[in-house]
Amino acid sequence: MEDLLASVTKRCEAAGQSHILAHVSDATISQEDKLSFLKSVDEIPLEKLSDFLKSALDEEEKLKNFDPANVSAEEQIEPFSGMSATTTTTDAAQLESLHKSHEVGMKAVQNGQVAALLLAGGQGTRLGFDGPKGMYDIGLPSGKTLFEFMAERIQKLGQLSGKGDKAIPFYIMTSPLNHKVTTEYFATHDNFGIDVIFFPQGTLPALTPEGKMILETPTSLAVAPDGNGGIYPAMVKHGIISDMKARGIKYIHAFGVDNALVKPADPTFVGYCISSNADCGNKVLWKTSPGEKVG
């Protein structure tokens, strides 16, 4: 533990965070708790914390003072002008293109090349629900939760592909706040009959406005989930990328847990991206006006 303590102490001093080590010398605290604490600190990108905070505060200030009338030409947002397709089209050529896209996407599903990836780290607090957002009953007569809707759609697509209930692996990123509850919920329902892989996103320490980390207890930091962007390091850390490669996954449909209308691994969307040779694609509801809060 001495080597770890020396390393963490040096890094904390360099980052101006030495205050969090104030209780490490406390003889009343067990060596096990101290070691666990030091390991958790060692995993934090201490050298980047000040940059993280500055970036967040700068963006907050920018949004606070935002005035559309003073946006420079370089920063103006124009309507998308690239390739797009509208699923509600009546144009014969586009309908034929979408039909072909569906066939391409379904073929990819049949070949075991498509996965669904759900960002489900959020809690249902703003919905007045004390639990993972995916377990929220959105008020339909069936009483089904968001998780259940998504799982059933994935199962049905597998059946339609002719490859069975588990044709499409369902990767679910939880958070440390809801990982246990989420996995237990799925276990209670036998994963709704599909192939489910769970992994938690990471955390970042809570900071004061001055950039100082906050101790929750003498040997634990106050932390929070690291946001949707945390999906990338989490997939590497928990072997998700390796698992996808081993399965032969080539195409990933990622979506958020609060999207009740989502068509997971939508073969038309996936096929359109494949046919367009696109590195990535975005599926949205078109806004009727710039200020509309949908899409």
Side-chain angles (χ1 to χ4, degrees):
M1 190 175 85
E2 289 74 16
D3 290 344
L4 178 60
L5 175 58
S7 173
V8 169
T9 299
K10 183 178 180 180
R11 291 180 62 214
C12 283
E13 289 175 348
Q17 302 287 351
S18 299
H19 63 285
I20 66 170
L21 303 177
H23 303 282
V24 172
S25 60
D26 189 336
T28 64
I29 299 175
S30 71
Q31 291 294 98
E32 183 180 359
D33 286 346
K34 291 179 182 179
L35 180 59
S36 177
F37 175 61
L38 290 173
K39 285 181 176 178
S40 70
V41 174
D42 194 44
E43 293 180 354
I44 296 171
L46 298 172
E47 298 76 12
K48 298 180 180 179
L49 289 182
S50 59
D51 290 338
F52 289 165
L53 179 62
K54 183 179 184 303
S55 176
L57 293 177
D58 287 350
E59 185 65 21
E60 183 180 38
E61 188 66 20
K62 180 180 177 181
L63 292 174
K64 187 191 305 180
N65 299 317
F66 179 72
D67 181 358
N70 295 326
V71 174
S72 65
E74 294 78 15
E75 294 180 309
Q76 285 183 0
I77 300 174
E78 299 292 338
F80 180 67
S81 58
M83 289 184 62
S84 65
T86 305
T87 56
T88 55
T89 184
T90 57
D91 179 77
Q94 276 218 357
L95 287 172
E96 177 62 21
S97 173
L98 292 173
H99 177 70
K100 290 180 179 178
S101 294
H102 181 85
E103 291 181 340
V104 171
M106 191 61 82
K107 187 68 175 178
V109 171
Q110 292 168 342
N111 290 337
Q113 298 173 330
V114 181
L117 174 59
L118 176 65
L119 285 67
Q123 292 291 96
T125 308
R126 283 182 293 178
L127 299 170
F129 175 66
D130 184 22
K133 196 180 293 184
M135 290 171 57
Y136 184 66
D137 175 356
I138 62 175
L140 296 181
S142 65
K144 293 178 180 179
T145 65
L146 291 165
F147 281 144
E148 190 170 357
F149 274 122
M150 294 170 185
E152 286 184 348
R153 290 166 185 165
I154 289 172
Q155 182 184 52
K156 187 62 176 181
L157 180 55
Q159 293 170 353
L160 291 172
S161 75
K163 295 297 181 178
D165 295 355
K166 299 184 178 182
I168 304 161
F170 190 21
Y171 295 91
I172 300 179
M173 185 181 78
T174 61
S175 74
L177 297 174
N178 68 20
H179 184 79
K180 185 174 184 292
V181 176
T182 300
T183 54
E184 288 177 348
Y185 172 75
F186 272 82
T188 300
H189 294 84
D190 195 25
N191 287 343
F192 298 101
I194 64 173
D195 184 11
V196 186
I197 305 94
F198 301 95
F199 64 103
Q201 67 186 105
T203 59
L204 285 173
L207 302 175
T208 67
E210 295 73 37
K212 299 296 184 180
M213 289 191 288
I214 303 168
L215 284 173
E216 190 167 271
T217 72
T219 55
S220 68
L221 292 167
V223 297
D226 57 4
N228 288 346
I231 192 169
Y232 302 109
M235 289 176 72
V236 174
K237 178 179 179 180
H238 297 288
I240 302 302
I241 299 294
S242 297
D243 184 75
M244 288 178 171
K245 287 181 177 179
R247 293 169 180 260
I249 300 297
K250 292 184 177 181
Y251 313 109
I252 304 163
H253 183 199
F255 48 93
V257 70
D258 48 5
N259 187 350
L261 299 179
V262 70
K263 296 179 179 178
D266 177 6
T268 303
F269 174 55
V270 172
Y272 184 81
C273 291
I274 295 172
S275 300
S276 303
N277 197 30
D279 291 326
C280 63
N282 191 23
K283 186 178 181 183
V284 299
L285 291 172
W286 289 107
K287 293 176 179 285
T288 58
S289 65
E292 186 182 13
K293 296 183 180 299
V294 300

